[in-house]
Amino acid sequence: EIVLTQSPGTLSLSPGERATLSCRASQSVSSSYLAWYQQKPGQAPRLLIYGASSRATGIPDRFSGSGSGTDFTLTISRLEPEDFAVYYCQQYGSSPQLYTFGQGTKLEIK
Amino acid sequence: QVQLQESGPGLVKPSQTLSLTCTVSGGSISSGSYYWSWIRQPAGKGLEWIGRIYTSGSTNYNPSLKSRVTISVDTSKNQFSLKLSSVTAADTAVYYCARVGGSYLPHFDYWGQGTLVTVSS
């Protein structure tokens, strides 16, 4: 089973700053199989990035994803107030544990 | 625009079976190469994939829950369902249903709003 470890656990930044969130896999993951989600309190997660670097429909271009192998990054170029939330990475692997999520990074207002 | 909506009891007694249904609207559950999944999230914690079903009825389950989980589909009603048996307090969580693509699109693109299920006597 592939384990995804996200860092930092909490990131404190101000609006307008750049956010860099990390997702590290315990084994190599195909870039096609790495996604990022945003979750706000009381809401379902929302797909941001799939295939490691492709933005989902309607996602602003300040969100970008990169990486390969075991190291992946979500970057928010210039934080807007609505971006403060929890972010999860997710990978698709081989049976039986098909989908795993990282433990999340909380992005909070400094 | 595909929409998903979970429904079912919000309170289940220990040792009983949790049953939830997800109703899909805005498109046929049988169209496209999509799987239909259940994911849960205990309060203040992360996301755990429970299982998925294809409209053919083919299923895959999280190994840690496999012995207690059954996911089924009713294409005539555009619904799929989750049953989790022998529940304990550890099964208390918000349960989400979601759509996920096959191996070419293995991400969860549409989600229900989630439903809180509490296991308590």
Side-chain angles (χ1 to χ4, degrees), chain A residues 33 37 39 44 88 97 99, chain B residues 41 52 62-63 96 103 108 112:
Chain A
Y33 297 162
Y37 302 83
Q39 186 178 34
Y88 295 95
Q97 182 65 36
Y99 307 97
Chain B
Q41 184 174 38
R52 72 176 188 180
N62 186 323
Y96 295 101
S103 58
F108 302 92

Side-chain angles (χ1 to χ4, degrees), chain A residues 11-15 80-85 106-110:
Chain A
L11 184 58
S12 300
L13 293 171
S14 301
E80 297 287 344
E82 62 268 27
D83 298 336
F84 292 91
K106 182 179 181 180
L107 178 57
E108 64 176 24
I109 299 177
K110 187 174 182 180

Side-chain angles (χ1 to χ4, degrees), chain B residues 36-112:
Chain B
W36 303 91
S37 265
W38 289 96
I39 295 160
R40 70 180 183 178
Q41 184 174 38
K45 296 189 177 181
L47 300 161
E48 180 181 34
W49 174 69
I50 299 171
R52 72 176 188 180
I53 190 166
Y54 195 64
T55 50
S56 64
S58 173
T59 55
N60 300 93
Y61 299 129
N62 186 323
S64 68
L65 298 169
K66 185 176 183 178
S67 63
R68 300 193 292 130
V69 174
T70 302
I71 297 176
S72 59
V73 65
D74 187 337
T75 55
S76 67
K77 294 182 178 179
N78 236 30
Q79 294 176 335
F80 62 106
S81 298
L82 168 70
K83 291 189 185 297
L84 180 65
S85 64
S86 304
V87 297
T88 69
D91 295 309
T92 294
V94 175
Y95 286 75
Y96 295 101
C97 57
R99 188 181 83 166
V100 60
S103 58
Y104 294 104
L105 295 166
H107 47 266
F108 302 92
D109 57 356
Y110 288 99
W111 296 66

Side-chain angles (χ1 to χ4, degrees), chain A residues 10-85:
Chain A
T10 301
L11 184 58
S12 300
L13 293 171
S14 301
E17 290 192 295
R18 181 184 186 91
T20 302
L21 287 67
S22 173
C23 176
R24 178 162 290 178
S26 59
Q27 302 173 41
S28 185
V29 173
S30 168
S31 297
S32 299
Y33 297 162
L34 195 287
W36 290 91
Y37 302 83
Q38 175 194 67
Q39 186 178 34
K40 297 179 180 179
Q43 297 184 15
R46 177 175 70 146
L47 177 67
L48 295 177
I49 301 288
Y50 64 92
S53 61
S54 297
R55 274 187 300 277
T57 303
I59 301 303
D61 61 7
R62 64 180 182 273
F63 291 91
S64 64
S66 63
S68 64
T70 60
D71 290 299
F72 297 88
T73 300
L74 174 70
T75 301
I76 310 172
S77 60
R78 192 173 172 81
L79 285 166
E80 297 287 344
E82 62 268 27
D83 298 336
F84 292 91

